[in-house]
């Protein structure tokens, strides 16, 4: 991998494009956005009466109705609490392993997908498109594909998480690499360092904080996302909450939701603290 | 030591240096000229950071190797560069930055392991002591002042055990006091160690005080090459235009004529 000879620093201030400075263009842009929203309303079946009638049902569904005993979400039923906790732990483990796999995939790809470290234009384009593909296929679809390929359980879920997250992290890492200070890289290169050393000692120290921060951020998202994976049989607590809701066992579903929410809150909190430290 | 032979370099499609032939030996050589004259491009072309478009650069009689070649890396190791913006790796300590100068002497895989060959750390500490920063060895580079950062930059260049120091506007971003310190160190390197020093400078007073030879560029061409005593005010006026005589009525090295595109992030 080579690093291009850097261009001298550009002036920090760049005027906005002429289009944005022109008042008439601004009006046209606003009108276009409004038009898009208006067109999108067609086919969305939005109806206020349905919402008002439905809200009564929502109350009944959440808080139970007199006709049906044991209906409603309260009080939550923790009789299988230990199983739910174990499944939640499994879900977090899936997120840990999936995110780790994603980082391992994303680091080399990001160097190929950053304009200043890619060996050539073709590699850049191919890697970017590959990352688009990883990122563009919805997680659930990817999980279904891997369930079909390797069978049920956490393994296909982890594969789906790793590939999907590699698409996201690869792009974010590449943008981090593109934003480094080329002067620091130039200094290392000017000393006669090997290209590997230019990457390891000129580029790498600059991107570590960004890389850790983005990874933690994606880990938080992956804990949330992996609670969904069980729905398609790819392991974790998602399976249990789907079963509980389908079986009208709302109080168990309530218990599961409480476990999911508190775990997610806890992990988000800890991860955010850690990210604060990094920046 | 370094020689350019009808060197032509284009930069962003614009010719930055044209048909430049000059031989630079030992001693302290100052390169002067108005902004945009091609001084920084010359430094980068001498080091091989920017490849020659036409003609060639010879280091100790050998043409510079092609970009990315092992030959060029060996040659670059013998030329320590000092930058206007210091270009330290900001998250690393002063000591680690000096050790960056040892990379070229270490195999890539060994340097990845983080294990330093014997004596490297001692050498780096010695060099930091030499530039008066032994007490700051463990401080992060971005917590040092501009003058201190530039001194770390010089120690890094010395860690390469070079034969020539290429200093690209080493004091342009510094206050007068720091600039004087940095110039004194560069002067000492040349006078005591016998290294060749080639430095882009703006202040004529600094040039007259430290340089043994002055090379002036204008619009990418060599227009003056002589001892500083011959650099009269008339010559300077011709070089920079009627209106401006940089360095006059300023402290030595206290050049305020910064190009408009300077980043202050690390200062």
């Amino acid at each position: 991998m080579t690093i291009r000879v850097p261009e001298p620093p550009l002036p920090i201030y760049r005027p906005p494009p002429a289009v944005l400075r022109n008042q008439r263009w601004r009006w046209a842009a606003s009108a276009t956005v409004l038009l898009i929203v208006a067109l999108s309303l067609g086919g969305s079946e939005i109806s206020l009466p349905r919402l008002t009638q439905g809200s009564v049902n929502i109350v009944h569904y959440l808080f139970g109705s007199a006709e049906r005993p044991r209906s409603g979400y309260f009080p939550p039923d923790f009789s299988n609490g230990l199983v739910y906790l174990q499944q939640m732990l499994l879900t977090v483990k899936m997120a840990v392993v999936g995110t780790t796999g994603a980082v391992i995939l994303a680091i080399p790809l990001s160097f190929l997908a950053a304009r200043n470290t890619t060996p050539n234009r073709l590699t850049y384009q191919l890697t970017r498109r590959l990352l688009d593909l990883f990122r563009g296929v919805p997680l659930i679809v990817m999980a279904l594909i891997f369930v079909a390929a390797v069978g049920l359980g956490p393994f296909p879920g982890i594969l789906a998480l790793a590939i999907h997250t590699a698409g996201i992290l690869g792009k974010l890492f590449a943008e981090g690499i593109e934003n480094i200070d080329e002067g620091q890289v130039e200094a290392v290169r000017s000393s006669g360092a090997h290209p590997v050393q230019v990457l390891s000692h000129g580029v790498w120290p600059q991107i570590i904080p960004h890389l850790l921060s983005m990874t933690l951020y994606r880990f938080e998202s992956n804990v949330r996302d992996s609670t969904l994976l069980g729905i398609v049989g790819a392991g974790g607590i998602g399976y249990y909450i789907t079963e509980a809701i389908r079986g009208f066992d709302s109080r168990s579903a309530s218990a599961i939701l409480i476990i999911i929410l508190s775990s997610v809150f806890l992990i988000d909190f800890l991860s955010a603290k850690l990210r604060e430290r990094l920046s | 030591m370094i020689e350019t032979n009808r060197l032509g370099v284009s930069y962003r499609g614009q010719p930055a240096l044209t048909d430049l032939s000059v031989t630079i030996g030992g001693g302290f050589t100052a390169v002067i000229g108005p902004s945009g004259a091609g001084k920084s491009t010359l430094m980068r072309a001498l080091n091989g950071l920017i490849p020659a478009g036409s003609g060639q650069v010879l280091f100790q009689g050998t043409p510079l190797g092609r970009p990315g070649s092992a030959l060029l890396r060996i040659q670059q190791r013998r030329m320590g560069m000092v930058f206007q913006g210091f270009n330290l790796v900001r998250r690393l300590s002063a000591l680690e930055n000096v050790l960056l100068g040892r990379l070229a002497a270490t195999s890539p895989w060994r340097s990845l392991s983080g294990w330093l060959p014997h004596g490297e750390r001692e050498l780096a500490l010695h060099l930091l002591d030499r530039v008066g920063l032994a007490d700051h060895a463990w401080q992060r580079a971005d917590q040092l002042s501009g003058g201190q950062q530039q001194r770390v930059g010089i120690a890094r260049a010395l860690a390469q055990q070079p034969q020539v120091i290429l200093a690209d506007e080493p004091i342009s971003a510094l206050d007068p006091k720091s600039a004087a310190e940095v110039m004194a160190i560069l002067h000492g390197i040349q006078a005591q160690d016998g290294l060749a020093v080639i430095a882009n400078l703006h202040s004529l007073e600094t040039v007259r005080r430290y340089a043994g030879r002055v090379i002036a560029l204008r619009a990418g061409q060599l227009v003056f090459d002589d001892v500083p005593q011959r650099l009269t005010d008339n010559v300077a006026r011709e070089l920079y235009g009627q209106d401006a005589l940089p360095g006059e009525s300023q402290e030595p090295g206290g050049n305020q004529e910064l190009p408009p595109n300077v980043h202050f992030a690390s200062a």
Side-chain angles (χ1 to χ4, degrees), chain A residues 5-10 12 181 183-184 186-197 200-201 205 208-209, chain B residues 11-12 44 47 49 73 76-77 81 83 87-91 100 103-104 106-108 111-112 156 160 261 263:
Chain A
V5 171
E7 308 201 325
L10 287 170
I12 290 165
D181 171 15
Q184 300 175 41
E186 185 186 39
V188 176
R189 193 179 329 100
S190 78
S191 74
H194 190 273
V196 170
Q197 295 169 324
S200 64
H201 289 71
I208 291 173
Chain B
Y11 196 68
R12 291 178 161 179
R44 281 165 175 73
N47 177 270
L49 277 173
R73 293 204 298 273
Q76 283 177 324
R77 196 182 141 192
M81 275 200 90
F83 298 87
N87 291 3
L88 301 183
V89 177
R90 288 199 278 273
R91 289 186 60 251
L100 291 179
L103 281 178
T106 317
S107 88
S111 64
L112 282 181
R156 174 179 62 186
Q160 293 170 227
N261 56 357
H263 273 287

Side-chain angles (χ1 to χ4, degrees), chain A residues 253-264:
Chain A
S254 170
I256 298 172
L257 269 180
I258 288 170
I259 288 173
I260 292 178
L261 285 177
S262 28
S263 311
V264 167

Side-chain angles (χ1 to χ4, degrees), chain B residues 40-89:
Chain B
S40 290
T41 306
L42 175 62
M43 286 295 169
R44 281 165 175 73
L46 292 180
N47 177 270
L49 277 173
I50 302 178
S54 60
Q56 55 184 183
V57 176
L58 295 98
F59 180 66
Q60 296 177 321
T62 311
L64 289 188
R66 285 159 26 82
S69 66
L71 172 62
L72 178 63
R73 293 204 298 273
I74 291 167
Q75 291 167 324
Q76 283 177 324
R77 196 182 141 192
R78 295 293 167 218
M79 299 185 257
M81 275 200 90
V82 174
F83 298 87
Q84 178 178 18
F86 324 129
N87 291 3
L88 301 183
V89 177

Side-chain angles (χ1 to χ4, degrees), chain B residues 34 41 46 49 53 59 68 87 104 138-139 151 171 184 195 211 226 228 232 239 255 266:
Chain B
T41 306
L46 292 180
L49 277 173
F59 180 66
N87 291 3
W138 306 105
Q139 214 165 328
R151 285 188 274 154
I171 55 171
L195 295 188
D226 212 326
T232 60
L239 180 63
N255 166 65
S266 60

Side-chain angles (χ1 to χ4, degrees), chain B residues 192-248:
Chain B
Q192 290 155 27
D193 303 19
L195 295 188
V197 175
I198 306 172
N200 291 344
L201 294 169
H202 272 287
S203 151
L204 295 184
E205 278 177 56
T206 312
V207 170
R208 289 183 181 122
R209 185 160 165 203
Y210 292 102
R213 178 183 175 187
V214 182
I215 289 169
L217 297 179
R218 190 172 58 194
Q221 289 182 313
L222 187 69
V223 293
F224 178 89
D225 180 1
D226 212 326
V227 292
Q229 290 75 22
R230 295 265 175 80
L231 184 68
T232 60
D233 284 354
N234 279 338
V235 174
R237 210 163 279 131
E238 198 178 316
L239 180 63
Y240 288 96
Q242 290 295 325
D243 43 327
L245 261 190
E248 252 189 2

Side-chain angles (χ1 to χ4, degrees), chain B residues 87-121:
Chain B
N87 291 3
L88 301 183
V89 177
R90 288 199 278 273
R91 289 186 60 251
L92 299 183
S93 69
L95 184 69
E96 287 169 315
N97 268 288
V98 178
L99 284 167
L100 291 179
R102 297 302 304 159
L103 281 178
T106 317
S107 88
W109 309 114
R110 174 152 197 176
S111 64
L112 282 181
S113 75
W115 284 98
L116 296 171
H118 185 71
E120 303 258 288
R121 187 182 304 267

